[in-house]
């Protein structure tokens, strides 16, 4: 294919090239038209000079935003350009001259932009966010692939709940059977970990959560590693390694995008040199109580409760790095957690709270080992035992201590990007009241 990509132009200075893309923006002044051409790899300024070719000049002037065009020209070094080059146009082929593109350079409201998400993803900032998402995902895969984990995907249609019945999406199946959209691949990961030793799943999960916050999607992507012969500490060590690997990779490969987003990268760099603190739930509660006394929190936190967003933000603000909180009260956690042998009211779980108010990005822990204990938990949580018989087999045949976690890709990406809301970190977000486009 006779095409040069914008991110390769620096290697073609002085040469004629053909660029294929879309008109991002344009302006004209006197005898010049400046076309901002984007092709997915970058944006370059293409200069059309009237005296060179009048017809070409008129055609260039007639182009509407997001017209699809093929541009020929000579690559010229230009120190004022952020990519170091611009193009002297010698030829223009109009594939489609588009008019009245709805997203103009002026400000638009979020609802409008979300309704036009299929077009909005062409905009500079959205483009940068989604490229960072790509790099986060690539880093996640490399990290597990290079550390002895086998990718073993888990089903989306499932017969039972993993994370409690209140956030289950129900689907009609054949012959009046009900299925549920998976909330987490974890239970299946426990089976694959018993087969491969270390395995991971990576795919979409669903939560019928009626939460309309900047951290919640109803469909999101989760990566979930699971390790046989592992305990709570191993979860925190693996999670810390993963997060540092992602941060390193994003800093190395996505400088340009971080600049577009005006991300303060010193905050990301800082965590690489720091051991992530590991705070017992009891101590986290003490911190929250102090915060209330100091007037920095609105409500006094009671031991036994689950953290709300302001609590998570407050805890994370006490540290320079992401912080693990571990040993939660079992009553606020899912049925499958192993208990602390000395304090059975505590679950061997750990959540990682990201800095800068991004909240929980990792949740996981050690899984219950004992068959009888799990049977009791399934009953206590009002879960249908017959749907879990296969899962209980994992305790009947070669049970071992094992542990794992889940990391939400969108929350991790929002934090990397330093953006307000997770809805911009996935190409087509699904949220409460948002099923379109
Ligand atoms: O803490 P969660 O619910 O943990 C589990 O599902 C475990 N079964 C995972 C495991 O141990 N294998 O979810 C894990 C992570 C959270 O820390 C968060 O990053 C993300 O998934 N997450 C969400 N992201 C976006 N929208 C939501 N509604 C989310 N709920 C959880
Ligand atoms: Mg959680």
């Amino acid at each position: 294919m006779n095409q040069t990509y914008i991110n390769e132009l620096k290697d073609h200075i002085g040469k004629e090239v053909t660029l294929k893309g879309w008109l991002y923006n344009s302006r004209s002044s006197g005898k010049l038209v400046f076309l901002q051409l984007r092709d997915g790899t970058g944006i370059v300024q293409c200069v059309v000079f009237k005296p060179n070719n009048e017809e070409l000049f008129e055609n260039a002037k007639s182009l509407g935003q997001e017209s699809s065009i093929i541009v020929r020209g000579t690559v010229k070094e230009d120190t004022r350009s952020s990519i170091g080059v611009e193009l002297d146009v010698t030829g223009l082929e109009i594939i489609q001259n588009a008019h009245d593109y709805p997203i103009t350079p002026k400000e638009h409201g979020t609802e409008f932009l979300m309704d036009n998400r299929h077009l909005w993803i062409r905009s500079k900032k959205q483009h940068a966010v989604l490229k960072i998402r790509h790099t986060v995902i690539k880093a996640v895969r490399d990290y597990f692939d290079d550390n002895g984990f086998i990718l073993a995907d888990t089903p989306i249609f499932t017969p039972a709940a993993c994370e409690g019945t209140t956030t289950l999406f129900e689907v009609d199946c054949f012959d009046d059977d009900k299925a549920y959209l998976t909330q987490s691949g974890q239970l299946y990961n426990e089976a694959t970990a018993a087969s491969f030793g270390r395995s991971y799943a990576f795919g979409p999960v669903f939560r019928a959560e009626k939460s309309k916050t900047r951290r919640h999607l109803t469909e999101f992507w989760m990566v979930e590693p699971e390790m046989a012969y592992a305990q709570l500490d191993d979860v925190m060590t693996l999670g810390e390694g993963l997060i540092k690997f992602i941060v390193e990779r994003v800093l190395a490969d996505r400088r340009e995008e971080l600049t577009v987003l005006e991300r303060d990268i010193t905050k990301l760099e800082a965590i690489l040199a720091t051991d992530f603190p590991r705070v017992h739930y009891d101590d986290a509660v003490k911190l929250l109580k102090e915060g209330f006394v100091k007037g920095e929190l609105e409500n006094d936190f009671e031991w036994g409760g689950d953290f709300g967003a302001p609590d998570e933000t407050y805890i994370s603000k006490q540290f320079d790095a992401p912080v693990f909180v571990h040993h939660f009260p079992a009553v606020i956690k899912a049925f499958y957690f192993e208990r602390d042998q000395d304090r059975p009211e505590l679950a061997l779980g750990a959540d990682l709270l990201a800095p800068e108010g991004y909240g929980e990005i990792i949740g996981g822990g050690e899984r219950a080992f004992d068959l009888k204990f799990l049977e009791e938990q399934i009953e206590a949580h009002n879960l249908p035992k017959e749907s879990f018989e296969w899962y209980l087999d994992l305790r009947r045949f070669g049970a071992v201590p094992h542990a794992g976690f889940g990391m939400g890709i969108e929350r991790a990406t929002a934090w990397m990007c330093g953006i307000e809301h997770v809805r911009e970190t996935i190409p087509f977000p699904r949220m409460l009241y948002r099923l379109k486009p």
Side-chain angles (χ1 to χ4, degrees), residues 273-327:
T274 319
D275 290 335
F276 295 1
R278 299 180 181 188
V279 179
H280 194 288
Y281 176 86
D282 289 349
D283 297 319
V285 173
K286 278 186 204 147
L287 282 175
L288 293 174
K289 287 194 163 293
E290 282 165 24
F292 176 67
V293 171
K294 287 190 214 156
E296 289 172 32
L297 279 171
E298 237 171 76
N299 300 309
D300 191 12
F301 190 86
E302 285 298 320
W303 192 99
D306 206 354
F307 302 140
D311 305 315
E312 287 183 352
T313 302
Y314 182 81
I315 295 168
S316 69
K317 279 206 172 134
Q318 311 310 307
F319 304 92
D320 300 328
V323 51
F324 280 109
V325 178
H326 55 83
H327 283 82

Short mmCIF file of all heavy atoms in Angstrom, two decimals, residues 273-327:
data_model
loop_
_atom_site.label_atom_id
_atom_site.label_comp_id
_atom_site.label_asym_id
_atom_site.label_seq_id
_atom_site.Cartn_x
_atom_site.Cartn_y
_atom_site.Cartn_z
N ALA A 273 9.50 4.24 43.09
CA ALA A 273 10.60 4.13 44.05
C ALA A 273 10.10 3.77 45.45
O ALA A 273 10.88 3.68 46.39
CB ALA A 273 11.36 5.45 44.09
N THR A 274 8.80 3.59 45.61
CA THR A 274 8.22 3.42 46.95
C THR A 274 7.64 2.02 47.12
O THR A 274 7.01 1.49 46.20
CB THR A 274 7.07 4.44 47.14
OG1 THR A 274 7.46 5.68 46.58
CG2 THR A 274 6.73 4.63 48.60
N ASP A 275 7.86 1.42 48.30
CA ASP A 275 7.14 0.18 48.62
C ASP A 275 5.71 0.54 48.97
O ASP A 275 5.47 1.50 49.71
CB ASP A 275 7.80 -0.52 49.81
CG ASP A 275 9.15 -1.09 49.45
OD1 ASP A 275 9.37 -1.39 48.25
OD2 ASP A 275 10.00 -1.24 50.36
N PHE A 276 4.77 -0.20 48.44
CA PHE A 276 3.37 0.12 48.74
C PHE A 276 3.08 -0.24 50.20
O PHE A 276 3.29 -1.39 50.61
CB PHE A 276 2.41 -0.66 47.84
CG PHE A 276 2.49 -0.31 46.37
CD1 PHE A 276 3.39 0.64 45.89
CD2 PHE A 276 1.63 -0.92 45.45
CE1 PHE A 276 3.46 0.96 44.53
CE2 PHE A 276 1.69 -0.61 44.10
CZ PHE A 276 2.60 0.32 43.64
N PRO A 277 2.59 0.72 51.00
CA PRO A 277 2.25 0.40 52.38
C PRO A 277 1.15 -0.67 52.46
O PRO A 277 0.30 -0.75 51.56
CB PRO A 277 1.73 1.73 52.94
CG PRO A 277 2.01 2.76 51.92
CD PRO A 277 2.29 2.10 50.62
N ARG A 278 1.21 -1.48 53.50
CA ARG A 278 0.18 -2.51 53.73
C ARG A 278 -0.44 -2.23 55.09
O ARG A 278 0.20 -2.37 56.12
CB ARG A 278 0.82 -3.90 53.70
CG ARG A 278 1.46 -4.19 52.35
CD ARG A 278 2.11 -5.56 52.26
NE ARG A 278 2.72 -5.74 50.94
CZ ARG A 278 3.23 -6.89 50.50
NH1 ARG A 278 3.21 -7.96 51.27
NH2 ARG A 278 3.75 -6.96 49.29
N VAL A 279 -1.68 -1.82 55.09
CA VAL A 279 -2.34 -1.33 56.30
C VAL A 279 -3.47 -2.28 56.70
O VAL A 279 -4.34 -2.60 55.89
CB VAL A 279 -2.90 0.10 56.05
CG1 VAL A 279 -3.62 0.62 57.28
CG2 VAL A 279 -1.80 1.05 55.62
N HIS A 280 -3.43 -2.70 57.96
CA HIS A 280 -4.49 -3.56 58.48
C HIS A 280 -5.80 -2.75 58.55
O HIS A 280 -5.76 -1.55 58.86
CB HIS A 280 -4.09 -4.05 59.88
CG HIS A 280 -4.92 -5.19 60.39
ND1 HIS A 280 -6.23 -5.03 60.82
CD2 HIS A 280 -4.64 -6.51 60.54
CE1 HIS A 280 -6.70 -6.21 61.22
NE2 HIS A 280 -5.76 -7.12 61.05
N TYR A 281 -6.90 -3.40 58.30
CA TYR A 281 -8.21 -2.72 58.37
C TYR A 281 -8.37 -1.97 59.69
O TYR A 281 -8.84 -0.82 59.70
CB TYR A 281 -9.33 -3.75 58.18
CG TYR A 281 -10.73 -3.19 58.34
CD1 TYR A 281 -11.40 -2.59 57.27
CD2 TYR A 281 -11.39 -3.26 59.57
CE1 TYR A 281 -12.69 -2.07 57.42
CE2 TYR A 281 -12.68 -2.76 59.73
CZ TYR A 281 -13.32 -2.16 58.65
OH TYR A 281 -14.58 -1.66 58.80
N ASP A 282 -7.97 -2.59 60.81
CA ASP A 282 -8.08 -1.91 62.12
C ASP A 282 -7.37 -0.56 62.09
O ASP A 282 -7.88 0.43 62.63
CB ASP A 282 -7.40 -2.76 63.22
CG ASP A 282 -8.19 -4.02 63.55
OD1 ASP A 282 -9.35 -4.14 63.09
OD2 ASP A 282 -7.63 -4.89 64.25
N ASP A 283 -6.18 -0.54 61.50
CA ASP A 283 -5.40 0.71 61.46
C ASP A 283 -6.00 1.71 60.47
O ASP A 283 -5.92 2.92 60.70
CB ASP A 283 -3.94 0.40 61.08
CG ASP A 283 -3.29 -0.48 62.14
OD1 ASP A 283 -3.53 -0.23 63.34
OD2 ASP A 283 -2.59 -1.44 61.77
N ALA A 284 -6.58 1.19 59.41
CA ALA A 284 -7.26 2.08 58.46
C ALA A 284 -8.43 2.78 59.17
O ALA A 284 -8.67 3.98 58.98
CB ALA A 284 -7.74 1.29 57.25
N VAL A 285 -9.15 2.01 60.01
CA VAL A 285 -10.27 2.59 60.75
C VAL A 285 -9.75 3.69 61.69
O VAL A 285 -10.36 4.76 61.81
CB VAL A 285 -11.04 1.50 61.52
CG1 VAL A 285 -12.10 2.12 62.43
CG2 VAL A 285 -11.70 0.52 60.54
N LYS A 286 -8.61 3.42 62.33
CA LYS A 286 -8.02 4.45 63.22
C LYS A 286 -7.74 5.74 62.44
O LYS A 286 -8.03 6.84 62.90
CB LYS A 286 -6.71 3.94 63.83
CG LYS A 286 -6.94 3.06 65.05
CD LYS A 286 -5.62 2.69 65.71
CE LYS A 286 -5.79 1.39 66.51
NZ LYS A 286 -4.58 0.55 66.52
N LEU A 287 -7.17 5.58 61.25
CA LEU A 287 -6.89 6.75 60.41
C LEU A 287 -8.17 7.53 60.12
O LEU A 287 -8.20 8.76 60.20
CB LEU A 287 -6.28 6.32 59.08
CG LEU A 287 -4.81 5.94 59.05
CD1 LEU A 287 -4.43 5.43 57.66
CD2 LEU A 287 -3.94 7.16 59.41
N LEU A 288 -9.23 6.79 59.78
CA LEU A 288 -10.50 7.45 59.43
C LEU A 288 -11.08 8.18 60.64
O LEU A 288 -11.63 9.28 60.51
CB LEU A 288 -11.50 6.42 58.89
CG LEU A 288 -11.12 5.81 57.53
CD1 LEU A 288 -12.09 4.69 57.16
CD2 LEU A 288 -11.10 6.87 56.44
N LYS A 289 -10.94 7.55 61.79
CA LYS A 289 -11.47 8.20 63.00
C LYS A 289 -10.69 9.49 63.29
O LYS A 289 -11.28 10.51 63.65
CB LYS A 289 -11.40 7.23 64.19
CG LYS A 289 -12.46 6.13 64.10
CD LYS A 289 -12.62 5.40 65.42
CE LYS A 289 -13.92 4.61 65.49
NZ LYS A 289 -15.13 5.44 65.52
N GLU A 290 -9.37 9.44 63.11
CA GLU A 290 -8.57 10.65 63.27
C GLU A 290 -9.01 11.74 62.28
O GLU A 290 -9.10 12.91 62.62
CB GLU A 290 -7.08 10.35 63.01
CG GLU A 290 -6.37 9.67 64.18
CD GLU A 290 -5.01 9.07 63.77
OE1 GLU A 290 -4.43 9.56 62.77
OE2 GLU A 290 -4.58 8.12 64.41
N GLY A 291 -9.26 11.29 61.06
CA GLY A 291 -9.70 12.23 60.02
C GLY A 291 -10.99 12.93 60.41
O GLY A 291 -11.18 14.12 60.15
N PHE A 292 -11.89 12.17 61.05
CA PHE A 292 -13.16 12.75 61.49
C PHE A 292 -12.93 13.77 62.61
O PHE A 292 -13.46 14.88 62.58
CB PHE A 292 -14.09 11.63 61.97
CG PHE A 292 -15.39 12.14 62.53
CD1 PHE A 292 -16.32 12.77 61.71
CD2 PHE A 292 -15.68 12.01 63.89
CE1 PHE A 292 -17.52 13.26 62.23
CE2 PHE A 292 -16.86 12.49 64.41
CZ PHE A 292 -17.79 13.12 63.58
N VAL A 293 -12.05 13.40 63.56
CA VAL A 293 -11.74 14.30 64.68
C VAL A 293 -11.13 15.60 64.14
O VAL A 293 -11.45 16.69 64.60
CB VAL A 293 -10.79 13.61 65.70
CG1 VAL A 293 -10.30 14.62 66.75
CG2 VAL A 293 -11.50 12.45 66.38
N LYS A 294 -10.25 15.46 63.14
CA LYS A 294 -9.61 16.65 62.56
C LYS A 294 -10.55 17.47 61.68
O LYS A 294 -10.17 18.51 61.15
CB LYS A 294 -8.42 16.22 61.69
CG LYS A 294 -7.20 15.74 62.47
CD LYS A 294 -6.02 15.58 61.49
CE LYS A 294 -5.13 14.42 61.88
NZ LYS A 294 -4.38 13.88 60.73
N GLY A 295 -11.75 16.95 61.48
CA GLY A 295 -12.71 17.66 60.64
C GLY A 295 -12.48 17.48 59.15
O GLY A 295 -13.04 18.19 58.32
N GLU A 296 -11.65 16.49 58.80
CA GLU A 296 -11.37 16.28 57.37
C GLU A 296 -12.31 15.25 56.75
O GLU A 296 -12.30 15.04 55.53
CB GLU A 296 -9.90 15.83 57.20
CG GLU A 296 -8.93 16.98 57.46
CD GLU A 296 -7.47 16.54 57.50
OE1 GLU A 296 -7.12 15.60 56.77
OE2 GLU A 296 -6.70 17.15 58.26
N LEU A 297 -13.11 14.60 57.58
CA LEU A 297 -14.12 13.67 57.07
C LEU A 297 -15.46 14.04 57.69
O LEU A 297 -15.53 14.39 58.87
CB LEU A 297 -13.76 12.23 57.45
CG LEU A 297 -12.73 11.52 56.57
CD1 LEU A 297 -12.31 10.20 57.21
CD2 LEU A 297 -13.30 11.26 55.17
N GLU A 298 -16.52 13.90 56.87
CA GLU A 298 -17.83 14.32 57.34
C GLU A 298 -18.42 13.37 58.37
O GLU A 298 -19.11 13.78 59.29
CB GLU A 298 -18.77 14.39 56.13
CG GLU A 298 -19.41 15.75 55.93
CD GLU A 298 -20.14 15.80 54.62
OE1 GLU A 298 -21.23 15.21 54.55
OE2 GLU A 298 -19.60 16.39 53.66
N ASN A 299 -18.16 12.07 58.16
CA ASN A 299 -18.78 11.07 59.05
C ASN A 299 -17.73 10.32 59.86
O ASN A 299 -16.63 10.07 59.39
CB ASN A 299 -19.57 10.05 58.23
CG ASN A 299 -20.67 10.73 57.43
OD1 ASN A 299 -21.46 11.50 57.99
ND2 ASN A 299 -20.69 10.49 56.13
N ASP A 300 -18.14 9.96 61.08
CA ASP A 300 -17.27 9.12 61.91
C ASP A 300 -17.41 7.69 61.42
O ASP A 300 -18.52 7.17 61.31
CB ASP A 300 -17.71 9.24 63.38
CG ASP A 300 -16.68 8.61 64.30
OD1 ASP A 300 -15.56 8.32 63.83
OD2 ASP A 300 -16.99 8.42 65.49
N PHE A 301 -16.30 7.05 61.12
CA PHE A 301 -16.34 5.70 60.56
C PHE A 301 -16.45 4.68 61.68
O PHE A 301 -15.71 4.73 62.65
CB PHE A 301 -15.09 5.44 59.72
CG PHE A 301 -15.17 4.18 58.92
CD1 PHE A 301 -15.76 4.17 57.67
CD2 PHE A 301 -14.67 2.98 59.44
CE1 PHE A 301 -15.85 3.00 56.93
CE2 PHE A 301 -14.77 1.79 58.70
CZ PHE A 301 -15.35 1.81 57.46
N GLU A 302 -17.38 3.73 61.54
CA GLU A 302 -17.55 2.69 62.54
C GLU A 302 -16.81 1.44 62.11
O GLU A 302 -16.94 1.01 60.95
CB GLU A 302 -19.05 2.34 62.67
CG GLU A 302 -19.87 3.36 63.43
CD GLU A 302 -19.40 3.54 64.87
OE1 GLU A 302 -19.06 2.53 65.53
OE2 GLU A 302 -19.34 4.71 65.32
N TRP A 303 -16.06 0.81 63.01
CA TRP A 303 -15.40 -0.46 62.70
C TRP A 303 -16.46 -1.44 62.19
O TRP A 303 -17.55 -1.53 62.76
CB TRP A 303 -14.72 -1.03 63.96
CG TRP A 303 -13.79 -2.17 63.63
CD1 TRP A 303 -12.44 -2.08 63.52
CD2 TRP A 303 -14.14 -3.54 63.36
NE1 TRP A 303 -11.91 -3.31 63.17
CE2 TRP A 303 -12.94 -4.23 63.06
CE3 TRP A 303 -15.33 -4.26 63.31
CZ2 TRP A 303 -12.90 -5.59 62.75
CZ3 TRP A 303 -15.30 -5.61 62.98
CH2 TRP A 303 -14.08 -6.26 62.70
N GLY A 304 -16.16 -2.14 61.13
CA GLY A 304 -17.10 -3.14 60.61
C GLY A 304 -17.71 -2.71 59.30
O GLY A 304 -18.24 -3.53 58.55
N GLY A 305 -17.62 -1.44 58.99
CA GLY A 305 -18.24 -0.95 57.77
C GLY A 305 -17.32 -1.05 56.56
O GLY A 305 -16.12 -1.32 56.69
N ASP A 306 -17.93 -0.86 55.39
CA ASP A 306 -17.15 -0.84 54.15
C ASP A 306 -16.80 0.62 53.85
O ASP A 306 -17.57 1.51 54.19
CB ASP A 306 -18.00 -1.43 53.01
CG ASP A 306 -17.12 -2.02 51.91
OD1 ASP A 306 -15.88 -1.86 51.99
OD2 ASP A 306 -17.68 -2.62 50.98
N PHE A 307 -15.66 0.83 53.20
CA PHE A 307 -15.25 2.20 52.92
C PHE A 307 -16.11 2.80 51.80
O PHE A 307 -16.38 2.16 50.80
CB PHE A 307 -13.79 2.25 52.46
CG PHE A 307 -12.83 1.67 53.46
CD1 PHE A 307 -11.76 0.89 53.03
CD2 PHE A 307 -12.99 1.90 54.82
CE1 PHE A 307 -10.86 0.36 53.95
CE2 PHE A 307 -12.09 1.37 55.75
CZ PHE A 307 -11.03 0.59 55.30
N GLY A 308 -16.49 4.05 52.01
CA GLY A 308 -17.10 4.80 50.92
C GLY A 308 -16.00 5.53 50.16
O GLY A 308 -14.84 5.54 50.60
N ALA A 309 -16.37 6.18 49.06
CA ALA A 309 -15.37 6.88 48.25
C ALA A 309 -14.58 7.92 49.07
O ALA A 309 -13.35 7.98 48.97
CB ALA A 309 -16.04 7.52 47.04
N PRO A 310 -15.24 8.73 49.92
CA PRO A 310 -14.46 9.71 50.70
C PRO A 310 -13.48 9.03 51.66
O PRO A 310 -12.38 9.55 51.89
CB PRO A 310 -15.52 10.47 51.50
CG PRO A 310 -16.81 10.19 50.83
CD PRO A 310 -16.68 8.86 50.17
N ASP A 311 -13.87 7.87 52.20
CA ASP A 311 -12.97 7.15 53.11
C ASP A 311 -11.74 6.66 52.36
O ASP A 311 -10.60 6.81 52.82
CB ASP A 311 -13.68 5.94 53.74
CG ASP A 311 -14.97 6.34 54.44
OD1 ASP A 311 -14.95 7.35 55.16
OD2 ASP A 311 -16.00 5.67 54.24
N GLU A 312 -11.97 6.05 51.18
CA GLU A 312 -10.84 5.55 50.37
C GLU A 312 -9.90 6.70 50.01
O GLU A 312 -8.68 6.58 50.11
CB GLU A 312 -11.36 4.89 49.09
CG GLU A 312 -12.02 3.55 49.34
CD GLU A 312 -12.46 2.86 48.06
OE1 GLU A 312 -12.40 3.47 46.97
OE2 GLU A 312 -12.87 1.68 48.14
N THR A 313 -10.49 7.81 49.60
CA THR A 313 -9.68 8.95 49.21
C THR A 313 -8.86 9.44 50.40
O THR A 313 -7.67 9.72 50.28
CB THR A 313 -10.57 10.09 48.67
OG1 THR A 313 -11.31 9.56 47.57
CG2 THR A 313 -9.75 11.28 48.21
N TYR A 314 -9.50 9.51 51.56
CA TYR A 314 -8.79 9.99 52.75
C TYR A 314 -7.63 9.06 53.10
O TYR A 314 -6.51 9.53 53.36
CB TYR A 314 -9.75 10.12 53.95
CG TYR A 314 -9.05 10.65 55.17
CD1 TYR A 314 -8.81 12.02 55.32
CD2 TYR A 314 -8.57 9.78 56.15
CE1 TYR A 314 -8.12 12.51 56.42
CE2 TYR A 314 -7.87 10.26 57.25
CZ TYR A 314 -7.66 11.63 57.38
OH TYR A 314 -6.96 12.11 58.47
N ILE A 315 -7.88 7.76 53.10
CA ILE A 315 -6.81 6.81 53.45
C ILE A 315 -5.65 6.97 52.46
O ILE A 315 -4.49 7.08 52.86
CB ILE A 315 -7.33 5.35 53.43
CG1 ILE A 315 -8.37 5.14 54.53
CG2 ILE A 315 -6.17 4.36 53.61
CD1 ILE A 315 -9.15 3.84 54.42
N SER A 316 -5.98 7.00 51.17
CA SER A 316 -4.89 7.04 50.19
C SER A 316 -4.10 8.34 50.27
O SER A 316 -2.91 8.37 49.98
CB SER A 316 -5.43 6.80 48.78
OG SER A 316 -6.20 7.88 48.36
N LYS A 317 -4.76 9.42 50.71
CA LYS A 317 -4.05 10.71 50.82
C LYS A 317 -3.00 10.71 51.92
O LYS A 317 -2.14 11.60 51.95
CB LYS A 317 -5.05 11.84 51.07
CG LYS A 317 -5.73 12.29 49.80
CD LYS A 317 -6.21 13.73 49.89
CE LYS A 317 -6.70 14.21 48.54
NZ LYS A 317 -7.97 14.92 48.62
N GLN A 318 -3.06 9.73 52.82
CA GLN A 318 -2.08 9.68 53.91
C GLN A 318 -0.74 9.09 53.44
O GLN A 318 0.21 9.03 54.19
CB GLN A 318 -2.61 8.86 55.10
CG GLN A 318 -4.02 9.22 55.55
CD GLN A 318 -4.21 10.72 55.76
OE1 GLN A 318 -3.44 11.37 56.48
NE2 GLN A 318 -5.22 11.29 55.10
N PHE A 319 -0.72 8.60 52.19
CA PHE A 319 0.48 7.94 51.69
C PHE A 319 0.86 8.48 50.30
O PHE A 319 0.01 9.03 49.60
CB PHE A 319 0.24 6.42 51.59
CG PHE A 319 -0.21 5.81 52.89
CD1 PHE A 319 -1.57 5.68 53.18
CD2 PHE A 319 0.72 5.39 53.83
CE1 PHE A 319 -1.98 5.13 54.39
CE2 PHE A 319 0.31 4.84 55.04
CZ PHE A 319 -1.04 4.71 55.31
N ASP A 320 2.14 8.30 49.94
CA ASP A 320 2.60 8.77 48.64
C ASP A 320 2.42 7.74 47.54
O ASP A 320 2.58 8.03 46.36
CB ASP A 320 4.11 9.11 48.69
CG ASP A 320 4.38 10.19 49.72
OD1 ASP A 320 3.48 11.03 49.91
OD2 ASP A 320 5.46 10.17 50.34
N ALA A 321 2.14 6.50 47.94
CA ALA A 321 2.03 5.41 46.97
C ALA A 321 0.65 4.77 47.10
O ALA A 321 -0.07 5.04 48.06
CB ALA A 321 3.12 4.39 47.24
N PRO A 322 0.29 3.91 46.16
CA PRO A 322 -0.93 3.13 46.36
C PRO A 322 -0.81 2.36 47.67
O PRO A 322 0.29 1.96 48.05
CB PRO A 322 -0.93 2.17 45.17
CG PRO A 322 -0.07 2.81 44.14
CD PRO A 322 0.97 3.59 44.90
N VAL A 323 -1.92 2.16 48.35
CA VAL A 323 -1.85 1.51 49.66
C VAL A 323 -2.79 0.29 49.70
O VAL A 323 -3.93 0.36 49.24
CB VAL A 323 -2.18 2.52 50.79
CG1 VAL A 323 -3.46 3.28 50.52
CG2 VAL A 323 -2.26 1.85 52.15
N PHE A 324 -2.26 -0.81 50.22
CA PHE A 324 -3.10 -2.00 50.43
C PHE A 324 -3.76 -1.91 51.79
O PHE A 324 -3.09 -1.64 52.79
CB PHE A 324 -2.24 -3.28 50.42
CG PHE A 324 -1.89 -3.76 49.04
CD1 PHE A 324 -0.59 -3.65 48.58
CD2 PHE A 324 -2.85 -4.34 48.22
CE1 PHE A 324 -0.25 -4.10 47.30
CE2 PHE A 324 -2.51 -4.81 46.95
CZ PHE A 324 -1.21 -4.68 46.49
N VAL A 325 -5.06 -2.15 51.82
CA VAL A 325 -5.75 -2.35 53.10
C VAL A 325 -6.13 -3.83 53.14
O VAL A 325 -6.65 -4.36 52.15
CB VAL A 325 -7.00 -1.46 53.22
CG1 VAL A 325 -7.71 -1.73 54.54
CG2 VAL A 325 -6.63 0.01 53.10
N HIS A 326 -5.82 -4.50 54.24
CA HIS A 326 -6.07 -5.95 54.29
C HIS A 326 -6.77 -6.34 55.59
O HIS A 326 -6.88 -5.53 56.51
CB HIS A 326 -4.75 -6.72 54.13
CG HIS A 326 -3.70 -6.32 55.13
ND1 HIS A 326 -3.64 -6.83 56.40
CD2 HIS A 326 -2.67 -5.45 55.02
CE1 HIS A 326 -2.61 -6.30 57.04
NE2 HIS A 326 -2.01 -5.44 56.23
N HIS A 327 -7.25 -7.57 55.65
CA HIS A 327 -7.97 -8.09 56.82
C HIS A 327 -9.28 -7.34 57.07
O HIS A 327 -9.49 -6.75 58.13
CB HIS A 327 -7.10 -8.07 58.07
CG HIS A 327 -6.08 -9.17 58.11
ND1 HIS A 327 -4.87 -9.09 57.44
CD2 HIS A 327 -6.10 -10.39 58.71
CE1 HIS A 327 -4.19 -10.20 57.65
NE2 HIS A 327 -4.92 -11.02 58.40
#
